[in-house]
Amino acid sequence: MRYTPRPKRYLLFPAFAGVWLAVAGWSMAQTEPPVDGIRDETRALSTESHRVLAEELKQFSQNLKCDAWFQATSFMPAGLTVRRQAQITRREWSGTRPAVLMAYDRASNSNAMSFSPDFWERYPAAELVEIMQETRRIQADTKLILEERLIQATRYWMDRLRSMESVRLKQSLWLQRGEKPFALAVPIFLAGGGVILALLGIVSRRRSARAGRRFLFPEVQVGMRFGAAYGGGVTSEIKTNAGAQ
């Protein structure tokens, strides 16, 4: 008797293969973030440049209290742009924490920036867009080698974001550092002016009260002498009006 395999058995292998490929693709997509903030699959950075740039990224992260990443890949998966790849990678590595990531694709020689929502809330959108455009301009400069372009572009957006954060912190203060001496002088000046005005008011009221006083000549009565009118005498009596001073 000949054995005839059932059709269902032929369908098991494609099913298991599909599941395996899906799991493998998911595990590859869920990459762990680099410890030093840099993932250079293109090997464009030398060992020393990698170390120096990693230290600068670490210092930048401490200054702005955020995650800072740099990723350079040799190619992009089909249907995926550099900008989209930067967004996906930033979310995988930082989650909901404040973060900024610059991605570079060597195949297309293009880069893209991805900022977390916290950055869009902190800083003007126009300045963040300007940072994206300037990093692309630096990356397109063929006068520089690839390593120099990547380092200059990364240092550019770090310096710009530091400057923007400094401005934001200064604007959030009630009194700016240069305004403190002026702010201290204003109350002193106002208090001194108030005292002077109060003294002038007291003097003015006194002068007004003195100006309102009425002074009248006294009524002099002299007794008659020898029967002659207005003949003079040795005694006199002075009487003033009741309301006079």
Side-chain angles (χ1 to χ4, degrees), residues 24 65 91 132 214 220 243:
K65 297 179 177 59
R91 292 171 183 170
M132 296 178 181
R214 297 173 59 192
V220 181

Side-chain angles (χ1 to χ4, degrees), residues 109-160:
N109 191 30
S110 59
N111 67 339
M113 300 285 301
S114 178
F115 299 101
S116 64
D118 304 77
F119 280 80
W120 295 100
E121 295 175 359
R122 289 185 194 177
Y123 313 116
E127 296 193 23
L128 294 179
V129 173
E130 183 180 351
I131 291 176
M132 296 178 181
Q133 295 174 347
E134 184 62 21
T135 53
R136 286 196 293 266
R137 188 195 66 79
I138 296 174
Q139 190 60 49
D141 188 2
T142 57
K143 297 178 182 179
L144 305 174
I145 63 175
L146 178 59
E147 181 181 29
E148 293 174 342
R149 283 180 281 165
L150 294 176
I151 293 175
Q152 286 190 15
T154 305
R155 286 175 176 172
Y156 168 77
W157 58 259
M158 286 193 296
D159 292 340
R160 280 294 304 273

Side-chain angles (χ1 to χ4, degrees), residues 45-61:
L45 300 177
S46 64
T47 303
E48 181 63 18
S49 297
H50 188 122
R51 184 189 64 81
V52 173
L53 192 60
E55 288 294 329
E56 294 179 4
L57 284 171
K58 180 180 179 181
Q59 186 62 41
F60 172 83
S61 300

